[in-house]
Amino acid sequence: MRTILIMGPGGSGRTTIAAATAQRAARAGTRTLLLSADRTDTPGAALGSPTGPAPHEAAPQLTVWRPDAADRFRDDLTAFQTRAANVLDLLGASRLDAEEVTPLPGAEELSFLRALRDAALCERYDVLVVDLPPLPQALALLGLPEELRRYLRRLLPPERQAARALRPVLGRLAGVPMPADWLYETAARWDVELAAVEAVLTDRATAVRLVAEPGPAGADAVRTAGLGLALRGLPVEALIAHRTLPETAPDSWLAGLLAQQRKTLADWQELPYDVHPVPHLGRDPRGEDDLAALAVPPVNPAPAPVGWPVGDRIAEDGVLVWHIPLPGAIRDELDLIRRGDELVITVGPFRRIVPLPSALRRCTVAGAALREGELRIRFAPDPDLWPVAGR
């Protein structure tokens, strides 16, 4: 399945572009699902067909789904209370009824990730178009599975489950109760679910379409999104310059706005993205004809995945070089910290903790440089850990 993630700042028209992209794929005869995080029925307004929490066929070959976070949260909490019944009864806890439960902060994001996983694993569709929340919520959402899995591995290491028989003894020695089996089982189940979401996001068939209006605010949003996506290793399939004015705009008061758009479009042409201007229709697009008039690009074959290769320069310079593409990064906004076998990378407002490739774990950091939109980190082999020929 091809997965297209549509993202952009609030007010950029990303939901409309998502609907137009899904409609074009469906009109080409491809079984398409449009999954939207929009709380209101903006996709339905654009398509001219109401949508809701159940998958709905909006047109031939086109299904639209806006999952209800509240319902999913109630179901998850009910299931959790059932699994933890013994502990809750021991504590004398009063269980919550489904009717009194409202989603907690973060529940909506986790619910949408589960819906994304379910949609991607469904074999009824060939193309999945995902209308993500506005920036920066979308960027935080994309990093959530990896970060939560790391937290689970640190707090409840899977390898410690092998010592189940020793937990009562360890508990008496330490004077504190050991984690119960249900806690490890819950963590393992969460890890499997999060791994499935992460696999969708990192799949070779997954790519991003950025949506922004050409102008100063749109340029800032594109730069920010580009940094966040590059740090996650997600490829950008296209940059949609939405609501582009015609070159023959008759009104004189539009001259300044038109000049602003021209400058931004010229700057965007220098970026490593395919830029596709989408015209301003002079109204909010409504219905199939308006969406078709936007002429969004078709769903093309998946772009090449973003690689973080390790170059061998030992013979020439005595180092290995880790190449990390970070287009748009600024040296003053970049920070690196090594922690054991992990590297903490901070670029602008984003941070990611990544495991070092196996070869680099036996090395020490010898320096780093940012050149032509690429971070190059040099690693020198540690003589105590690096294999030596003939030894």
Side-chain angles (χ1 to χ4, degrees):
M1 175 186 286
R2 284 284 282 117
T3 301
I4 307 296
L5 307 176
I6 309 291
M7 60 191 304
S12 64
R14 72 185 183 286
T15 299
T16 298
I17 295 298
T21 301
Q23 177 184 275
R24 177 153 189 176
R27 284 188 167 185
T30 306
R31 298 176 302 171
T32 305
L33 173 63
L34 172 60
L35 176 68
S36 179
D38 205 308
R39 296 180 180 178
T40 59
D41 196 11
T42 308
L47 290 165
S49 178
T51 67
H56 166 71
E57 185 174 350
Q61 303 283 12
L62 176 57
T63 301
V64 185
W65 183 24
R66 287 192 303 113
D68 188 325
D71 284 347
R72 278 181 167 262
F73 181 73
R74 293 188 188 100
D75 293 342
D76 290 344
L77 185 59
T78 300
F80 173 78
Q81 291 183 126
T82 301
R83 290 193 297 269
N86 293 337
V87 176
L88 294 175
D89 292 342
L90 181 64
L91 297 173
S94 177
R95 301 191 189 184
L96 295 169
D97 295 326
E99 293 76 14
E100 61 181 312
V101 173
T102 56
L104 297 174
E108 189 170 356
E109 289 79 1
L110 290 173
S111 174
F112 189 74
L113 286 174
R114 291 184 59 196
L116 172 59
R117 176 207 60 190
D118 295 343
L121 296 179
C122 179
E123 298 181 352
R124 291 188 298 171
Y125 308 103
D126 303 309
V127 171
L128 171 61
V129 179
V130 185
D131 172 29
L132 290 171
L135 294 173
Q137 295 97 311
L139 292 167
L141 180 70
L142 295 178
L144 193 57
E146 179 183 86
E147 292 169 3
L148 288 180
R149 293 189 71 201
R150 182 177 180 276
Y151 296 159
L152 286 174
R153 289 193 296 268
R154 289 291 298 273
L155 297 174
L156 295 169
E159 59 270 15
R160 295 189 183 177
Q161 297 185 50
R164 289 182 179 181
L166 296 177
R167 285 185 201 154
V169 177
L170 294 174
R172 287 193 294 270
L173 291 175
V176 295
M178 293 291 104
D181 286 348
W182 70 268
L183 182 59
Y184 278 99
E185 292 168 359
T186 300
R189 182 170 58 255
W190 285 350
D191 185 70
V192 169
E193 293 191 0
L194 291 169
V197 178
E198 192 175 354
V200 174
L201 297 177
T202 58
D203 189 86
R204 294 175 61 91
T206 298
V208 174
R209 284 190 178 183
L210 284 176
V211 181
E213 288 192 45
D220 291 342
V222 167
R223 177 183 177 273
T224 300
L227 279 177
L229 293 170
L231 190 59
R232 291 288 164 193
L234 289 171
V236 176
E237 181 200 53
L239 170 55
I240 308 297
H242 194 203
R243 302 191 183 106
T244 302
L245 296 175
E247 288 292 329
T248 57
D251 297 329
S252 58
W253 69 271
L254 291 177
L257 181 58
L258 182 58
Q260 196 176 79
Q261 288 197 350
R262 287 173 181 165
K263 181 182 184 305
T264 303
L265 288 170
D267 293 340
W268 283 351
Q269 294 294 339
E270 303 297 322
L271 298 177
Y273 309 141
D274 290 331
V275 181
H276 294 270
V278 169
H280 198 308
L281 300 184
R283 60 185 181 279
D284 290 336
R286 291 290 183 269
E288 295 185 8
D289 292 341
D290 280 357
L291 293 181
L294 296 177
V296 297
V299 175
N300 299 312
V306 177
W308 290 17
V310 176
D312 187 345
R313 301 284 302 176
I314 292 180
E316 298 85 350
D317 305 316
V319 296
L320 298 172
V321 182
W322 198 10
H323 298 263
I324 302 177
L326 293 176
I330 299 174
R331 191 185 307 274
D332 293 341
E333 298 179 350
L334 187 62
D335 187 44
L336 301 172
I337 301 175
R338 179 173 180 175
R339 296 186 57 208
D341 290 339
E342 295 178 324
L343 186 68
V344 183
I345 307 175
T346 302
V347 53
F350 306 107
R351 187 182 71 164
R352 185 184 181 192
I353 302 175
V354 294
L356 293 173
S358 57
L360 302 183
R361 296 175 187 176
R362 304 190 301 272
C363 301
T364 59
V365 178
L370 182 65
R371 298 175 182 172
E372 299 176 353
E374 182 180 73
L375 175 62
R376 302 170 188 177
I377 311 173
R378 301 185 300 279
F379 290 81
D382 187 333
D384 296 331
L385 301 175
W386 196 262
V388 179
R391 181 180 293 181

